[in-house]
Amino acid sequence: MRFDQHTVVLLVRPSDPPELPQDAIDRIQDAHLAHQAGLVEQGLVLAAGPFLHGDDEHLRGFVVLSIAPDEARALYANDPAVRAGRLLAQVTTWLLPEGNLRFEGVPVPRSMMEAASGD
């Protein structure tokens, strides 16, 4: 059997994130979404999104990329939320049977306001 290989980034809330005022958190989140959207526009991200209502409240998001793990580590080291200590990026390789999953290009939000608008 042949396998497709993708790089996965789990975005995890650290157990001791920095305490910041809400306006700073909002700015960091908008910058994180803009960073993510830029990676999508470059064709590097195949799928991404947040986790909700999970058993582990530290798991915040999941990203599937079309690049090598070392490249993903470098890109996410520059994510504003990672740089600010609000998220950690855990990188791994994901194998699945060839052709089992297809990704379609869809727009992603560049800010919380855009995400909330539903457009």
Side-chain angles (χ1 to χ4, degrees):
M1 177 178 280
R2 294 189 343 189
F3 290 86
D4 289 330
Q5 182 172 309
H6 300 289
T7 297
V8 169
V9 174
L10 289 174
L11 295 170
V12 180
R13 175 87 59 229
S15 57
D16 59 345
E19 291 191 31
L20 300 169
Q22 189 60 49
D23 64 323
I25 293 170
D26 293 343
R27 282 193 307 274
I28 291 167
Q29 183 64 17
D30 280 348
H32 162 71
L33 291 175
H35 178 264
Q36 186 79 358
L39 298 178
V40 170
E41 290 164 2
Q42 293 175 56
L44 304 176
V45 171
L46 300 171
F51 290 124
L52 300 174
H53 314 297
D55 291 338
D56 184 343
E57 66 185 35
H58 291 100
L59 289 176
R60 305 304 299 152
F62 179 79
V63 186
V64 181
L65 298 110
S66 63
I67 57 177
D70 288 344
E71 294 173 273
R73 283 183 187 91
L75 289 174
Y76 279 87
N78 286 316
D79 182 299
V82 173
R83 285 194 333 252
R86 300 281 304 157
L87 292 174
L88 301 171
Q90 297 179 347
V91 179
T92 192
T93 299
W94 183 35
L95 298 177
L96 62 156
E98 186 177 60
N100 191 43
L101 188 60
R102 301 276 182 228
F103 298 98
E104 300 291 330
V106 296
V108 297
R110 297 189 70 81
S111 68
M112 290 303 293
M113 179 185 274
E114 191 175 321
S117 74
D119 292 334

